[in-house]
Amino acid sequence: MAIGVVLFSLILVLSFVSPIYSLSSNYYDKTCPGAESIVANAVKNAATTDKTVPAALLRMHFHDCFVRGCDASVLLNSKGNNKAEKDGPPNVSLHAFYVIDDAKKGLEAACPGVVSCADILALAARDSVVLSGGPTWDVPKGRKDGRTSKASETTQLPAPVFNISQLQQSFSQRGLSMEDLVALSGGHTLGFSHCSSFASRIRNFNTTQDIDPSMHPSLAASLRGVCPTKNRPKNAGTTMDPSSTTFDNTYYRLILQGKGLFSSDQALLAVPKTKGLVEKFASSHKEFMDAFVKSMIKMSSITGGQEVRKDCRVVN
């Protein structure tokens, strides 16, 4: 029985992470040697005029990889009766798609039909972390672009209200470990959240408590001010942490103070394994950076596409 469960788990993991083709760091060395610099320039140019771009691209890559693997399905536009991933509820706040379009335009001019949109997004996510003061790494390349994108499948994305067992299940289904979960959650050091993602923590939390008891009272008070029940501005929300354009380990220190924004952030303290990792990353910037790089390479290697799109928004 136990062996059967192990084998089933292994098959489940392999079905997510076994590429039909292999990725390599030097994939474009001969066919498009300038590929990485073309992408990096597109990201840098956009981030110069809009400081929210790096966080947007990193989030876009996560949301791509967690549905059908890292196949750029998140970039496809809805067409006819098919509502695409980007129009699914968790993705309507994704933005900066134009940065990927700009990079693709430059790549198509330099080496037509060679660099996939999935690779562009993986490279752009890395470049976004670097631009924000985070670590760099060699991105394995050779992903293919998917031909299917369904808004209904965005329910597979880990939600901000998830508890630790739901988070663990979501990550393990993709061949990702508890360490990957805690390290990749550190991407929340960048960016902004709308009120809807944490509203359930600051009002009517449950039948006996108005506010989530795991949230620091000063944070709850501040968020209630930012997200009033009446006359709330359309895009009301708050930054993920006070240094929201700097890639650092502040996120973990805030969780230890009860100042994680999402239930899913604070949930990392719920079991000893993940709590120990939060404490480790909070106390060591280097430990976090090293773990994040390792987990990013692992996550971005979940493949699933079939072609190299000419236009990132439509299938060939």
Side-chain angles (χ1 to χ4, degrees), residues 74-85:
V74 76
L75 304 177
L76 289 171
N77 285 343
S78 295
K79 185 182 178 185
N81 291 329
N82 183 61
K83 196 174 174 189
E85 283 173 41

Side-chain angles (χ1 to χ4, degrees), residues 10-177:
L10 189 62
I11 290 162
L12 191 66
V13 166
L14 290 176
S15 69
F16 273 103
V17 300
S18 283
I20 308 157
Y21 38 84
S22 57
L23 305 182
S24 71
S25 295
N26 58 1
Y27 190 83
Y28 297 116
D29 282 6
K30 290 188 171 67
T31 54
C32 194
E36 297 210 22
S37 60
I38 290 170
V39 175
N41 285 335
V43 175
K44 189 176 180 181
N45 290 341
T48 304
T49 53
D50 181 356
K51 287 185 169 60
T52 69
V53 161
L57 293 173
L58 181 58
R59 182 168 176 244
M60 194 187 293
H61 181 50
F62 281 144
H63 283 220
D64 183 36
C65 294
F66 266 73
V67 180
R68 294 182 170 268
C70 314
D71 67 342
S73 52
V74 76
L75 304 177
L76 289 171
N77 285 343
S78 295
K79 185 182 178 185
N81 291 329
N82 183 61
K83 196 174 174 189
E85 283 173 41
K86 62 165 62 166
D87 293 319
N91 285 342
V92 290
S93 57
L94 290 179
H95 67 103
F97 290 100
Y98 71 91
V99 184
I100 305 302
D101 294 334
D102 289 349
K104 183 63 171 170
K105 189 177 175 184
L107 288 163
E108 287 300 301
C111 25
V114 173
V115 182
S116 68
C117 301
D119 276 347
I120 295 171
L121 187 47
L123 290 166
R126 187 271 314 271
D127 296 337
S128 295
V129 171
V130 174
L131 275 178
S132 306
T136 190
W137 63 92
D138 272 341
V139 175
K141 294 165 287 289
R143 293 165 194 79
K144 295 291 188 287
D145 299 324
R147 295 181 54 82
T148 304
S149 183
K150 296 180 178 178
S152 58
E153 294 182 351
T154 59
T155 55
Q156 296 169 20
L157 289 165
V161 295
F162 270 15
N163 62 33
I164 192 65
S165 60
Q166 291 170 310
L167 289 168
Q168 184 179 1
Q169 182 182 18
S170 177
F171 276 67
S172 66
Q173 281 175 343
R174 290 156 180 83
L176 299 170
S177 67

Side-chain angles (χ1 to χ4, degrees), residues 1 46 138 192 203 259 266:
M1 176 67 185
D138 272 341
F192 177 91
R203 286 187 186 89
K259 293 180 180 177
Q266 214 55 50

